[in-house]
Amino acid sequence: MIPLSVMVSGRGTISYQIKGAYNRRSPSKFTSILRPIVFWNITGKCNLYCLHCYISASSKGWPEELSRDEALKVADDIIKLKLPLTILSGGEPFLREDLWEIAYKLVKGGIKIAISSNGTLLSEDIVTRLAKLGISYIGVSLDSVNPRLHDAFRGLKGAFERTIKGIENTLKAGIPVGLRMTLTKYNINEALSFIEFARSIGVKRISFYLIDMTGRAKGNLDLLPTKEQLTMFVESMIKASEKFNGDPEILIVRGNFVGVYVADRLASNKEEFLEYLQMISAQGDCGRKTISIYPDGSVKPCQFIDWVNIGNVREKNLGEILTYENEKLRTYIEAYKHLKGSKCSKCPFKIICGGGSRGRALSLKGDPWDDDPLCYIDPQKIAERWNIREDDIEKMFSS
């Protein structure tokens, strides 16, 4: 996750409320390698049928989802480990009846929680209950400011209207809202309009997700934006962050190479460039400061690496899974050691970036450790410009 607007403006909104202030001179210490953010997909059931759903959620849900007692035991593990943030997701989390029991247990145990939702079920009654519970924020998926395009992605006519109403209800209840837009070649050009729309309704945070090839999007290469589109998008986001001075907060997810590009654009000397890289590194990535728990209890490095299990909470508690002795987890903590692509394996910044998306590499190259096809930077030129050697990055990473 690249905190682009914080890099540009030095200001944050919702992330500062949750994590505390951070910047290039003082990177975030909110997470650590074995103390990650948990993305907990508590159900595979959903009232929408999105073209790009990373978990292939549907109205039928998943077979063999965790029972109430099993889910509450996972909550106990999270509390015992004092993990910094748990994001309850799905599917659509509000379709799980014991969501409230799980959320209450986590909050009572001192855990910050957020909810990731499609927004269509955020009624006044529900958001009032969430506000009383003390939810840190709600992330709502919105893929276009064009209702017809959003509805087409989401598989339900009228989804846009219901989602906007849910956002309005949430903001009225005093709960911060973050919008999540999955970028494809069909909607990436409306990113600036999306920001203007978010500002007009009082949203303070936008996460732009570069589409990953997992779940129903697996192999759907027609959805990928071009490198040219991506380059223009990033430049426009830098300008927007300058124009609006970091409000709303803009993040880019599933493209850590963007962070290297932005650091190169912003730095005025080598010291500043390395500070920006350290700031990026502090955010983490799949398996390194984030994990995902799936409806059946399987634990993934993140929700975008669905072909790998690093454990299962039905077989081991989270404390036994989150350890360096877990070779499957360690592989992703040290993803840079396993990169094979001609570009990524030789990249001076591979410790920071981790090679971008393993899912996109798998879909387009047939090997998850090959190059991310969306990476548009020339890392060797950037390294030469700042006189960076690989050991400069290694020293910084180990400090």
PDB file of all heavy atoms in Angstrom, residues 19 28 34 100 131 198 287 303:
ATOM      1  N   LYS A  19      -3.529   5.085  12.699  1.00  0.00           N
ATOM      2  CA  LYS A  19      -2.134   4.692  12.914  1.00  0.00           C
ATOM      3  C   LYS A  19      -1.311   5.725  13.672  1.00  0.00           C
ATOM      4  O   LYS A  19      -0.235   5.410  14.176  1.00  0.00           O
ATOM      5  CB  LYS A  19      -1.444   4.450  11.565  1.00  0.00           C
ATOM      6  CG  LYS A  19      -2.063   3.380  10.713  1.00  0.00           C
ATOM      7  CD  LYS A  19      -1.308   3.254   9.388  1.00  0.00           C
ATOM      8  CE  LYS A  19      -1.872   2.170   8.503  1.00  0.00           C
ATOM      9  NZ  LYS A  19      -1.115   2.027   7.240  1.00  0.00           N
ATOM     10  N   SER A  28       5.829   4.951   9.663  1.00  0.00           N
ATOM     11  CA  SER A  28       4.833   4.349  10.547  1.00  0.00           C
ATOM     12  C   SER A  28       5.393   3.105  11.253  1.00  0.00           C
ATOM     13  O   SER A  28       6.088   2.290  10.654  1.00  0.00           O
ATOM     14  CB  SER A  28       3.591   3.954   9.740  1.00  0.00           C
ATOM     15  OG  SER A  28       2.679   3.246  10.553  1.00  0.00           O
ATOM     16  N   LEU A  34       5.625  -9.689  12.341  1.00  0.00           N
ATOM     17  CA  LEU A  34       4.784 -10.748  12.889  1.00  0.00           C
ATOM     18  C   LEU A  34       3.621 -10.179  13.708  1.00  0.00           C
ATOM     19  O   LEU A  34       2.996 -10.901  14.489  1.00  0.00           O
ATOM     20  CB  LEU A  34       5.623 -11.712  13.742  1.00  0.00           C
ATOM     21  CG  LEU A  34       6.737 -12.436  12.975  1.00  0.00           C
ATOM     22  CD1 LEU A  34       7.542 -13.332  13.905  1.00  0.00           C
ATOM     23  CD2 LEU A  34       6.186 -13.248  11.805  1.00  0.00           C
ATOM     24  N   TRP A 100     -21.876  -9.131  14.569  1.00  0.00           N
ATOM     25  CA  TRP A 100     -21.931  -8.211  15.710  1.00  0.00           C
ATOM     26  C   TRP A 100     -21.243  -8.806  16.930  1.00  0.00           C
ATOM     27  O   TRP A 100     -20.538  -8.097  17.659  1.00  0.00           O
ATOM     28  CB  TRP A 100     -23.384  -7.877  16.017  1.00  0.00           C
ATOM     29  CG  TRP A 100     -24.051  -7.221  14.854  1.00  0.00           C
ATOM     30  CD1 TRP A 100     -24.863  -7.809  13.920  1.00  0.00           C
ATOM     31  CD2 TRP A 100     -23.904  -5.864  14.454  1.00  0.00           C
ATOM     32  NE1 TRP A 100     -25.245  -6.896  12.972  1.00  0.00           N
ATOM     33  CE2 TRP A 100     -24.677  -5.678  13.278  1.00  0.00           C
ATOM     34  CE3 TRP A 100     -23.225  -4.767  14.976  1.00  0.00           C
ATOM     35  CZ2 TRP A 100     -24.769  -4.461  12.622  1.00  0.00           C
ATOM     36  CZ3 TRP A 100     -23.323  -3.546  14.321  1.00  0.00           C
ATOM     37  CH2 TRP A 100     -24.076  -3.401  13.166  1.00  0.00           C
ATOM     38  N   ALA A 131     -21.646   2.818  14.980  1.00  0.00           N
ATOM     39  CA  ALA A 131     -21.103   4.002  15.656  1.00  0.00           C
ATOM     40  C   ALA A 131     -21.010   3.770  17.159  1.00  0.00           C
ATOM     41  O   ALA A 131     -20.012   4.137  17.804  1.00  0.00           O
ATOM     42  CB  ALA A 131     -21.970   5.222  15.348  1.00  0.00           C
ATOM     43  N   ALA A 198     -15.737  12.263  -4.387  1.00  0.00           N
ATOM     44  CA  ALA A 198     -15.497  11.933  -2.979  1.00  0.00           C
ATOM     45  C   ALA A 198     -15.484  13.201  -2.126  1.00  0.00           C
ATOM     46  O   ALA A 198     -16.074  13.248  -1.041  1.00  0.00           O
ATOM     47  CB  ALA A 198     -14.181  11.183  -2.838  1.00  0.00           C
ATOM     48  N   GLY A 287       1.820 -10.885   3.476  1.00  0.00           N
ATOM     49  CA  GLY A 287       2.634 -11.715   4.356  1.00  0.00           C
ATOM     50  C   GLY A 287       3.586 -10.924   5.219  1.00  0.00           C
ATOM     51  O   GLY A 287       4.006 -11.386   6.281  1.00  0.00           O
ATOM     52  N   GLN A 303      -5.212 -11.329   0.718  1.00  0.00           N
ATOM     53  CA  GLN A 303      -6.372 -11.760  -0.054  1.00  0.00           C
ATOM     54  C   GLN A 303      -6.106 -11.800  -1.547  1.00  0.00           C
ATOM     55  O   GLN A 303      -6.977 -12.237  -2.317  1.00  0.00           O
ATOM     56  CB  GLN A 303      -7.582 -10.865   0.251  1.00  0.00           C
ATOM     57  CG  GLN A 303      -7.438  -9.412  -0.143  1.00  0.00           C
ATOM     58  CD  GLN A 303      -6.857  -8.554   0.964  1.00  0.00           C
ATOM     59  OE1 GLN A 303      -5.875  -8.926   1.606  1.00  0.00           O
ATOM     60  NE2 GLN A 303      -7.448  -7.384   1.188  1.00  0.00           N
TER      61      GLN A 303
END
